[in-house]
Amino acid sequence: IGQALVVLEAKRPRDLDAAWGFYNVRAHGGDRTLLTYGVMADLGDGLLVSLLGTSLQEWMLKSPWMVKRFVEGHVKLYQ
């Protein structure tokens, strides 16, 4: 059905060395939908990673949970 790709722009100032992610949505039989999510990031070895490394990883992995919560909340409105 659709795909969204997120890439860290190399020309802009940033604290991450590199980052890339995607959402992919496709039909999965009947009235079901499959949403896949992936993210890769090179946090580097600077001050940001020293202070927030674990929190940054948790934040990146929170995105699928937030999408799930949003979608399930809206599905209930239409049932």
Side-chain angles (χ1 to χ4, degrees):
I1 298 174
Q3 184 173 11
L5 181 63
V6 180
V7 179
L8 189 64
E9 190 174 339
K11 294 179 182 178
R12 297 182 67 99
R14 62 198 185 282
D15 291 325
L16 299 174
D17 287 348
W20 175 88
F22 69 90
Y23 284 96
N24 188 31
V25 181
R26 64 181 175 171
H28 186 65
D31 61 346
R32 303 187 79 173
T33 303
L34 178 63
L35 171 66
T36 55
Y37 166 78
V39 63
M40 292 188 301
D42 180 356
L43 304 178
D45 57 1
L47 181 62
L48 182 67
V49 173
S50 299
L51 296 174
L52 303 173
T54 303
S55 295
L56 285 172
Q57 291 172 344
E58 290 173 0
W59 179 79
M60 288 187 289
L61 294 173
K62 190 179 278 189
S63 184
W65 175 81
M66 293 171 59
V67 170
K68 179 181 185 292
R69 196 175 90 181
F70 174 81
V71 169
E72 289 178 347
H74 281 75
V75 167
K76 292 175 186 173
L77 294 174
Y78 295 104
Q79 290 180 341

